[in-house]
Amino acid sequence: SPHSPLMTYEAMSLDVQHLLTRLGIAKCILLGHSMGGKTAMTLALQRPDLVERLISVDISPVSTAPVSEFSAYISAMKSVKIPDGLSRSAARQLADDQLRPVVQLPQLRQFLLTNLVEVEGRYVWRVNLEAISHHLADIMNFPVFHKPYPGPTLFLGGSNSPYISSKDYPEIQRLFPKADVQHIEGAGHIVHQDKFEEFITAVLNFLPPP
């Protein structure tokens, strides 16, 4: 999708609403991970009529810390330099080497590297790093809502990740009274990558019977 200089949850929720209209989808089951989870929650709270069920993967409807860590990752991604004419595997290896000093976790580096794409013979990041760095405070926060989302909701976290914790439960309960919170044992923040089979099972069990 095209990039926008505006990167708030309200703006991203509107993008999804426009997409649903374009696709002719009157009501959907919405699943989002991390920033996508906050976008999905925003949409469900703004337009509950559009969302039949909601799944938020490893993120709560609260402020997410630490900002400095993400800031460092974005700076590292911005500073990656790849000469033209390299093969995809060589380009990824070079980017991996350049990210390693800042992004120590190999799984996280692999996750970031999925965004390295070739455009007309040059390797670029497909994510809008400028907009992300300008809106980091918005991305880390969560908009204020007073009216809850009444539909069934699943918060699916990784047991090794801090992003859905017991201190978030009151706010989860306030905004999503029909919420079920589950943690997948042994998974970090990128739950669907770390424990794919268990992730799929949990999602399928939450879906309504066909």
Side-chain angles (χ1 to χ4, degrees):
S1 57
H3 283 167
S4 158
L6 186 63
M7 203 163 186
T8 62
Y9 288 113
E10 293 88 345
M12 290 188 278
S13 165
L14 269 175
D15 282 345
V16 182
Q17 289 176 48
H18 291 321
L19 179 66
L20 292 174
T21 304
R22 175 81 56 88
L23 296 174
I25 296 170
K27 203 154 191 164
C28 68
I29 295 171
L30 204 52
L31 182 152
H33 167 252
S34 199
M35 183 172 77
K38 283 189 172 182
T39 303
M41 286 187 269
T42 300
L43 174 54
L45 289 159
Q46 285 178 328
R47 292 291 308 275
D49 55 302
L50 295 176
V51 182
E52 184 186 324
R53 279 170 189 245
L54 173 68
I55 304 165
S56 176
V57 182
D58 209 58
I59 204 77
S60 291
V62 297
S63 276
T64 307
V67 176
S68 57
E69 190 181 284
F70 287 95
S71 217
Y73 297 161
I74 290 158
S75 300
M77 288 169 80
K78 277 184 177 175
S79 63
V80 165
K81 297 205 170 18
I82 297 167
D84 297 352
L86 287 187
S87 70
R88 183 173 162 73
S89 58
R92 278 189 75 147
Q93 187 56 59
L94 189 58
D96 191 42
D97 294 342
Q98 291 178 42
L99 288 175
R100 189 176 290 114
V102 178
V103 188
Q104 273 121 23
L105 271 177
Q107 306 96 302
L108 184 54
R109 280 201 311 280
Q110 288 308 306
F111 181 65
L112 295 177
L113 286 167
T114 59
N115 292 290
L116 191 68
V117 292
E118 189 184 356
V119 178
E120 294 168 3
R122 298 184 59 234
Y123 283 90
V124 295
W125 297 107
R126 75 172 141 205
V127 288
N128 190 350
L129 290 176
E130 286 305 318
I132 294 171
S133 50
H134 288 145
H135 288 277
L136 207 50
D138 291 310
I139 292 166
M140 292 297 130
N141 285 322
F142 188 70
V144 175
F145 290 99
H146 301 291
K147 203 172 169 209
Y149 166 69
T153 307
L154 173 63
F155 284 85
L156 188 56
S159 69
N160 299 341
S161 171
Y163 292 122
I164 300 177
S165 80
S166 54
K167 70 179 188 329
D168 306 334
Y169 291 176
E171 190 62 355
I172 287 173
Q173 195 58 47
R174 182 181 79 83
L175 289 174
F176 303 96
K178 283 196 188 164
D180 178 24
V181 180
Q182 295 175 26
H183 283 87
I184 291 179
E185 199 54 48
H189 181 51
I190 310 165
V191 186
H192 46 290
Q193 179 179 293
D194 294 347
K195 294 284 176 183
F196 179 72
E197 299 286 339
E198 294 90 334
F199 169 80
I200 293 294
T201 301
V203 169
L204 290 176
N205 285 342
F206 174 71
L207 297 183

